[in-house]
Each structure stands twice: as C-alpha cells, then as structure tokens.
Amino acid sequence: MNRRQFLRTAAFTPLVVVLGSKFVATLRHYPLTDLQQRLRAMQPDRLHSMGNWNVSQIFQHCAQNLRYSIVGYPQHHSVLQKNIVGKLALNFYAATGSMPAAQEQPIPGAPPLAAEVPNDVALRELMFELQEFINWQGELAAHFAYGSLTKAQYYKVHALFLEQQLQQIVPR
C-alpha cells in the first residue's frame, strides 16, 4: 500500500464506521412496551439487587432518568462532550444493542436516592414515569450526556438504559 492509499483509507475508515453504526442503529427496534410488561410481572417484595444500590434505588434511578427526559436534567456535560463523544457513544450503543455497565452512577445534580423507599412504591413510580414518557407529545429535554434527541432516539436510550439497570435485579 502506498502513502496515498494509506491516507485515503485512514481518512475514510472512521467515516465508514460511524455511518455504518448509525445505519445499524436505525434498524434496531426498542419497544418500551416489552419493558412495561416485564415491570408489571415483577414481584417487588421478592427482588434482590446484585449491586450496591438496593432494588428501590435502582427503580428510583430509572424513574429519574425518564422524568428528566421530559422536565430537563439538573446538570449537563459540556456541549463538546454531548455533541461529539455523546452522539458517537449513543450510535455505538444503539448499533450493538447494549450499554456498558455504568451501574450505581447517579444522574449529575439529581437528588440522592432514598434507600428506605419500599420496592413496590419505587416500582410504581418507575411504571408511572415510563407511561408518562411513552404518552408524552411535547418537546423533550436535552439529555445530559447525549444532547438533543428525538423521541425515537430517546426510546433507544431509555430501552437500553432500563435493560442495563434491570440486569442488576434478580428474584430472591
């Protein structure tokens, strides 16, 4: 390979990877209604957390994320981080169908999660916020890490995030 071919390949490879992952991401479907059914089937008093947060705190954290997509996140990453790193990461997660395990990371600026809230109360809050998001027809707030998102992009973010968080919860 000569220098010209190398430079051309080096210039186009990142573009192909980004566009390819974006294309694959658009093909994936993320039904939040499936997650609703899973949540309805849970028996809150028979659940256990495998992490440092208890089951209630995980449910509260998920509910916060859904709520903030409508009312606005308390703090945001820098514009540069949201619009470059955040968008690339979001496309990668959507293309692969999973998010890395960033468990027990509070939302920046969010109030602390109350460990003493009963699981059934936190689960009802999560189910309420999920339904509110699904029904929401207004403008959505910018995500603290990914910036401005469409409803379809938020569906992906929430589905991947909820799936990743719920993996910490197991039956007793």
Side-chain angles (χ1 to χ4, degrees), residues 2-157:
N2 65 32
R3 183 173 179 215
R4 178 176 282 173
Q5 288 174 319
F6 174 77
L7 291 174
R8 190 177 301 144
T9 301
F12 286 112
T13 299
L15 181 63
V16 169
V17 169
V18 168
L19 292 176
S21 68
K22 190 154 184 74
F23 175 72
V24 171
T26 62
L27 299 177
R28 287 189 182 271
H29 182 60
Y30 295 94
L32 291 177
T33 52
D34 290 354
L35 283 166
Q36 279 182 307
Q37 291 174 352
R38 277 182 51 202
L39 292 171
R40 281 189 204 107
M42 289 183 172
Q43 296 178 325
D45 56 332
R46 296 184 181 209
L47 300 174
H48 175 73
S49 169
M50 297 187 305
N52 292 325
W53 282 353
N54 66 29
V55 172
S56 173
Q57 289 170 305
I58 295 168
F59 288 156
Q60 291 171 59
H61 179 61
C62 292
Q64 278 181 338
N65 200 30
L66 288 158
R67 183 178 324 110
Y68 290 148
S69 65
I70 294 173
V71 302
Y73 288 84
Q75 291 178 3
H76 287 258
H77 293 311
S78 72
V79 172
L80 184 66
Q81 185 174 352
K82 284 192 295 189
N83 291 325
I84 296 176
V85 177
K87 296 291 187 192
L88 289 173
L90 177 58
N91 286 326
F92 177 76
Y93 302 153
T96 61
S98 66
M99 282 186 165
Q103 297 148 345
E104 297 156 4
Q105 298 257 341
I107 295 169
L113 305 169
E116 66 279 357
V117 173
N119 290 353
D120 63 324
V121 173
L123 178 58
R124 279 195 307 271
E125 176 191 18
L126 172 55
M127 290 170 57
F128 173 81
E129 295 296 346
L130 182 55
Q131 190 62 54
E132 287 290 299
F133 172 77
I134 290 169
N135 294 340
W136 185 253
Q137 298 298 312
E139 189 174 330
L140 293 164
H143 190 275
F144 75 95
Y146 308 127
S148 296
L149 301 176
T150 65
K151 181 97 179 222
Q153 289 172 318
Y154 253 124
Y155 257 77
K156 292 173 187 178
V157 167

